[in-house]
Amino acid sequence: MKENKKQRIYRTIMLIIIVAVITFIVTSIVSYDGNPKYIISSHQNSELAQKLNSAIETITKILDEKYIGDVNEDELIEGALKGMVASVGDLYTEYYTKEELDDFTASTLGNFVGIGVYMQTDFQKDAVVVLSTIEGSPAEEAGLKQGDYIIKVDGVEYKAIEISELSNSIKGEEGTDVELTIDRNGEILNIKVTRRAVHINYVKSEKLEDDIGYISIETFDEGCKDDFVADYNKLVEQGIKSLIIDLRGNGGGLVDEALGIADLICDKNSVTLITIDKDGKEETTKSKTNPTIKMPVIILTDKGTASASEILAGALKDNEKAEIVGDTTYGKGVIQELIRLSNGGALKVTSAEYYTPKKNKINDVGIEPNYREIEENKQLEKAKEILKGKMK
């Protein structure tokens, strides 16, 4: 465990509550538990659909009659879908092609081929910035650092809005090289990275002095809760009396995984999450089980703590089951649903805003720590100091 931890991961996906096959006309969406969620009715005859069909038919006819090159129909369709969804203007709502969806699925399982770098758009600088590199990854070994701006990939320049295209250009077959042009504090560097299989170990733990347990969670991907429980049980066997949960740099993931961990600490039937959809409908999530973790808990947060991480931090703070040490969190308090499409792709759409159990707003605000400590190398020491005081 490194005290000077790098920021970990920023995920635009924070909740997959829908897994379904959806046609372009009429279908139902089914949630994980198999119960119908809602029905998408036909828009085939709606005014919007008629305008879209008319425009598409006109453009297709012109291209067919006038364009001197070859037209790939599949690429034409994918481009139209991407452009349509992007025009919504929401950072988190986007269309995934089948290949992009496959990559996302692989990454949520913790295995993929790439260079092992997490990126985010910086619209102020109109560029893509490195949030962190995965420990032991090709990106880390090549010397990429948090705060590096990726200007070009293999000589092709990309802007902030082109983060998906940039990401796709970085991907490739295992064993092949990709050259990144980096802006590091004004210095332009060219770094060659060799792609290979990357595995992410999302949960790490160790026993610290004074019988304090430490568990860091990099992201809430599939199986995270089970890994957390396994590591916690090992620490209990080693005699821990208190626990630090490190969420610094954790950009989110699957909310069910985060809520599962909240259930281990909060009292049964405690409110852990409140969501409100576009129609103002409010839904409340409550802890389903009696707590199994009853010792003092401290959560570490920073500016990179986002999304599902904020849900866990907010649930424990508002239920007075943990105190927070660190910096104000990122402030991503909106939920996305991932809807699979019949063409093999998927639509990720922002569908609701979420709030803490005390109905505190998170989006664009973040969660305030109980003990503010901005310096990263002092946050863990502050948490240990507080827990030692509680155990006296």
Side-chain angles (χ1 to χ4, degrees), residues 150-159 162 165-166 169-170 177-182 188-193 195:
I150 302 177
I151 307 301
K152 298 179 182 178
V153 179
D154 287 331
V156 179
E157 187 172 355
Y158 293 93
K159 301 298 184 182
E162 298 171 309
E165 291 84 352
L166 183 150
S169 66
I170 290 177
D177 294 333
V178 59
E179 185 173 82
L180 307 180
T181 302
I182 303 299
I188 304 301
L189 305 170
N190 290 313
I191 299 177
K192 184 176 290 186
V193 189
R195 304 175 177 99

Side-chain angles (χ1 to χ4, degrees), residues 167-380:
S167 177
N168 288 335
S169 66
I170 290 177
K171 299 169 187 174
E173 293 184 7
E174 186 170 7
T176 59
D177 294 333
V178 59
E179 185 173 82
L180 307 180
T181 302
I182 303 299
D183 182 344
R184 181 178 293 167
N185 299 319
E187 181 182 5
I188 304 301
L189 305 170
N190 290 313
I191 299 177
K192 184 176 290 186
V193 189
T194 301
R195 304 175 177 99
R196 71 165 184 259
V198 178
H199 175 72
I200 309 171
N201 183 13
Y202 297 122
V203 179
K204 300 177 182 177
S205 65
E206 69 173 284
K207 181 183 177 184
L208 307 178
E209 67 272 18
D210 299 301
D211 294 329
I212 297 173
Y214 171 91
I215 301 179
S216 68
I217 306 174
E218 294 188 3
T219 182
F220 292 98
D221 279 3
E222 187 174 336
C224 174
K225 178 203 167 184
D226 292 339
D227 290 344
F228 178 91
V229 170
D231 279 37
Y232 173 74
N233 288 336
K234 290 178 183 177
L235 291 172
V236 170
E237 291 175 2
Q238 297 175 44
I240 66 165
K241 300 294 189 299
S242 60
L243 180 64
I244 295 171
I245 302 176
D246 194 343
L247 299 180
R248 292 176 295 179
N250 183 325
L254 305 179
V255 169
D256 283 350
E257 298 289 337
L259 289 174
I261 293 174
D263 282 3
L264 300 171
I265 304 171
C266 293
D267 295 331
K268 186 175 182 179
N269 293 323
S270 297
V271 175
T272 53
L273 178 66
I274 297 172
T275 61
I276 301 177
D277 67 14
K278 67 179 296 182
D279 297 321
K281 181 182 177 182
E282 184 175 312
E283 291 189 6
T284 299
T285 302
K286 295 183 178 181
S287 180
K288 302 177 182 66
T289 60
N290 292 316
T292 56
I293 300 176
K294 301 178 181 180
M295 61 183 63
V297 176
I298 294 288
I299 294 177
L300 298 180
T301 64
D302 64 7
K303 293 294 186 183
T305 303
S307 198
S309 293
E310 292 173 292
I311 286 177
L312 177 57
L316 298 186
K317 180 184 179 184
D318 279 11
N319 282 291
E320 298 182 356
K321 292 296 182 178
E323 293 181 306
I324 300 175
V325 172
D327 203 353
T328 305
T329 61
Y330 182 88
K332 181 183 182 290
V334 288
I335 288 173
Q336 283 74 49
E337 296 178 11
L338 187 69
I339 304 170
R340 295 181 182 271
L341 306 174
S342 60
N343 67 349
L347 178 64
K348 175 169 68 72
V349 57
T350 298
S351 59
E353 184 172 356
Y354 67 82
Y355 298 80
T356 71
K358 291 183 178 179
K359 215 168 184 179
N360 293 317
K361 182 179 176 66
I362 294 176
N363 201 43
D364 296 327
V365 176
I367 295 176
E368 293 292 329
N370 299 92
Y371 302 90
R372 180 176 297 280
E373 181 56 72
I374 297 177
E375 293 187 43
E376 184 179 355
N377 59 351
K378 293 183 179 180
Q379 291 166 345
L380 180 60

